[in-house]
Amino acid sequence: MAGNGVRGRGGRRPTLEEVAARAGVGRGTVSRVINGSPRVSDATRAAVEAAVAELGYVPNTAARALAANRTDAIALVVPEPETRFFAEPYFSDMLRGVGAGLADTEMQLLLTFAGSDRERQRLAQYLAAHRVDGVLLVSVHADDPLPDLLAELEIPAVISGPRSAAESLTSVDSDNYAGARAAVEHLLSRGRRRIAHITGALDVYGAQRRADGYRDALADAGRPADELLVEPGDFTEEGGRRAMSTLLSRRPDLDAVFAGSDVMAAGARQVLREAGRRIPQDVALVGYDDSAIARHMDPPLTSVRQPIEEMGRAMIDLLLTEIAGRRPGPAREAAPRRAVLPVQLVVRASS
């Protein structure tokens, strides 16, 4: 390369001053060109860009970020154990969407788990030092203290799924209520009458909304929910197994199950098979997420598709907008922004 022969002694990186000397301009002019300022003539810009190319100059992004009071880093915080993160397709799909949203930026992504008190304390100290420009929160429970900490520290943040209808942070979610309604209406249309529901963890607002959709769909069909057919799970496969065992013991005549996630549906399927129940002949089964699990299950699982990767990209878009618009002082938006993405029922052989 042409620039290699003019590097500093010992192979060190050329400096901003050396670029300025080569281009015959001042240091400040070089800085303006590198940062895309319009206050530079075309001829000067061309001279600086030529000097940059000849010297092989690489801007010190860390120094630029420090000068601008930025870190060029975003934290993706998952308040769950690592084992759950790696076991559930939801999280990998979300991470893929977040990564795609950051692909054309200089931002670095830090993946952080905060499933224990110790991890939360360590994260709180890290965030208090303002070592990231913003935070994405995924899978947050109602009593999690992290969202309030972020608000207190005035760190830009976007949450995946609000904690409640009164969420104070900017949030991105899918239409959990509509998805649950579609699942139950589908089962009713197939002649199922004793439809059970394995909920997700009910301290998660999305799980509450799915339960609401389940109950309202039954009520609108003139069949109010039988609470003996509702059993809480925890979004895990083992939780699905436990809930299904309880439901079968209480209501052995059930003829359909709507599980609040594909992972729980997989656990329910095992129990149903062990009990000699055929799917879908004896018991129809519907999941939620439309993950790879749904497509590869035997029989393939009917599931509500939520656009998880798109949600990840939307979270990044909103967070970058908030970071770019953040100014010193107390002025903030009057109300948090909320994005709710549509869902789609994907019908397969399990129902």
Side-chain angles (χ1 to χ4, degrees), residues 285-347:
L285 183 61
V286 175
Y288 205 104
D289 288 334
D290 192 37
S291 63
I293 291 173
R295 297 187 292 276
H296 297 140
M297 197 179 291
D298 179 25
L301 180 68
T302 295
S303 185
V304 178
R305 176 182 295 163
Q306 58 173 340
I308 301 171
E309 287 191 41
E310 289 86 344
M311 289 166 63
R313 287 195 290 269
M315 289 179 71
I316 280 294
D317 289 344
L318 286 171
L319 184 61
L320 292 178
T321 299
E322 187 163 336
I323 290 171
R326 184 61 61 95
R327 296 289 184 270
R332 298 289 299 277
E333 290 186 10
R337 288 169 293 176
R338 295 178 182 174
V340 179
L341 279 62
V343 298
Q344 176 188 1
L345 181 69
V346 179
V347 178

Side-chain angles (χ1 to χ4, degrees), residues 174-209:
S174 66
D175 196 336
N176 293 289
Y177 178 84
R181 284 196 65 112
V184 175
E185 289 168 356
H186 165 71
L187 290 169
L188 289 167
S189 73
R190 295 295 174 93
R192 308 294 171 156
R193 292 296 177 262
R194 294 172 297 281
I195 303 171
H197 179 35
I198 299 175
T199 77
L202 289 174
D203 60 348
V204 174
Y205 186 61
Q208 296 173 25
R209 293 300 289 153

Side-chain angles (χ1 to χ4, degrees), residues 66-83:
L66 183 63
N69 196 26
R70 294 186 292 107
T71 66
D72 282 341
I74 286 173
L76 174 62
V77 179
V78 182
E80 300 284 358
E82 291 182 41
T83 51

Side-chain angles (χ1 to χ4, degrees), residues 10 16 22 26 97 121 130-131 134 138 156 162 171 182 221 232 251 253 294 312 340:
L16 196 70
R22 175 60 64 94
Q121 290 171 3
H130 290 273
R131 293 179 178 174
V138 178
S171 65
R251 290 298 305 268
D253 59 338
V340 179

